[in-house]
Amino acid sequence: MLKGDKVGLRARHDEDIPVLRTELYDDVVNGSRAEGSPWRPITPGSKDPRLVVDDTKEGLVQFSVVELEGESLVGTATLWGIDNHSRAAHIGLGLLPAARGKGYGTDVVAVLCYYGFVVRGLQRLQIETLSDNISMLRSAERNGFVREGVLRSSAWVLGEFMDEVILGLLAQDWKPNSTR
């Protein structure tokens, strides 16, 4: 398990899947804001790739996020679009509604930076988020990410176009433990 101050990132367990499905992916508003495609219901027991980890996919690493005290499941964390040639990847996370507002997001981003830069030897990490996702923007910036641009009206979310913010962090600019 990779550990931060408040959370740990560990392998996905079978018992995580029903909780994540119910609290993150069956929520139309949350699902629509988190995914780049329209929300759709997923049949219980199906092999939903957002939930069921395929360890053979080289460009994707999916974690379950747990509280360090008690190891309660609080969300998901992902390193995706891993490009081993250019040594770059994207990061993403999703916190269960009850886990939001507790500083877990900032800690998850810090642990994903450690994983990307130290464990994987990457040069660049990138985050794309909706412009009104203040929590994600703050979590990224607290970990040293810099706003690099805005994609105007690039995301169709529940009946309206929204801007997306692109943030980046380079290995040489990363300050480990800057949030701890």
Side-chain angles (χ1 to χ4, degrees):
M1 178 185 319
L2 296 169
K3 293 182 180 180
D5 288 338
K6 299 178 179 187
V7 298
L9 276 55
R10 64 156 169 77
R12 179 80 34 88
H13 296 173
D14 288 341
E15 60 268 18
D16 297 345
I17 293 173
V19 175
L20 295 172
R21 181 185 309 274
T22 301
E23 296 202 35
L24 285 180
Y25 299 109
D26 282 348
D27 178 328
V28 177
V29 173
N30 185 66
S32 296
R33 291 179 56 79
E35 299 293 322
S37 57
W39 179 87
R40 63 187 180 95
I42 302 296
T43 305
S46 69
K47 300 294 183 195
D48 182 348
R50 297 170 305 176
L51 299 170
V52 179
V53 175
D54 179 354
D55 289 325
T56 64
K57 288 187 176 181
E58 289 295 317
L60 176 68
V61 179
Q62 296 165 284
F63 298 96
S64 285
V65 180
V66 296
E67 292 175 312
L68 287 180
E69 292 185 26
E71 293 196 24
S72 298
L73 179 69
V74 295
T76 66
T78 308
L79 198 68
W80 60 276
I82 301 168
D83 179 340
N84 289 319
H85 177 72
S86 295
R87 295 178 43 210
H90 304 259
I91 68 174
L93 63 103
L95 295 175
L96 303 180
R100 296 175 189 158
K102 298 180 179 182
Y104 294 156
T106 299
D107 203 32
V108 170
V109 172
V111 178
L112 284 171
C113 288
Y114 174 83
Y115 179 73
F117 293 135
V118 176
V119 176
R120 297 295 296 247
L122 298 176
Q123 167 60 21
R124 174 184 169 78
L125 293 174
Q126 181 171 312
I127 295 172
E128 299 87 6
T129 191
L130 296 175
S131 61
D132 68 347
N133 189 347
I134 303 305
S135 296
M136 186 62 193
L137 291 168
R138 284 185 185 147
S139 292
E141 290 171 340
R142 285 178 182 145
N143 280 286
F145 280 80
V146 175
R147 292 183 194 215
E148 296 179 333
V150 174
L151 301 175
R152 297 178 305 139
S153 293
S154 63
W156 178 255
V157 181
L158 298 172
E160 68 177 308
F161 284 104
M162 297 187 71
D163 295 347
E164 289 180 281
V165 177
I166 307 298
L167 301 109
L169 179 62
L170 303 179
Q172 64 264 26
D173 298 330
W174 176 58
K175 294 177 179 61
N177 301 323
S178 62
T179 63
R180 297 167 199 208

